[in-house]
Amino acid sequence: IVGAGRLMLSMIEDLLELQAIEAGRATVHLRDVALRPLVAQVAGLLAPLAAPRGVTIAQHLPADLVLHTDERR
């Protein structure tokens, strides 16, 4: 529950930050961010919800898959 709460807070902060970027009040620092750890984190949050329903969450991503983005935003 604590992890999900932190994720929700992070998502709200991201939305507010996006608004600031669009309004020109924030800067963006782009770099390559590995997607595998991010997907693993999301899968870890969803797995306990899926398991009681007989659903398995599988991850099949190349280790070198990246997204060019601002990691903080």
Side-chain angles (χ1 to χ4, degrees):
I1 292 177
V2 172
R6 287 184 183 149
L7 180 62
M8 182 74 91
L9 177 59
S10 175
M11 290 170 48
I12 292 169
E13 289 173 344
D14 290 347
L15 289 172
L16 293 173
E17 190 67 29
L18 180 59
Q19 180 185 17
I21 292 168
E22 289 177 346
R25 296 187 313 252
T27 58
V28 177
H29 303 283
L30 297 176
R31 69 179 199 90
D32 288 341
V33 177
L35 284 182
R36 201 173 206 176
L38 176 62
V39 171
Q41 181 183 12
V42 172
L45 289 171
L46 295 177
L49 301 172
R53 294 169 176 84
V55 176
T56 302
I57 297 178
Q59 308 165 53
H60 303 284
L61 296 173
D64 60 348
L65 186 61
V66 296
L67 178 66
H68 193 67
T69 186
D70 186 323
E71 188 172 23
R72 290 187 49 222
R73 295 176 168 84

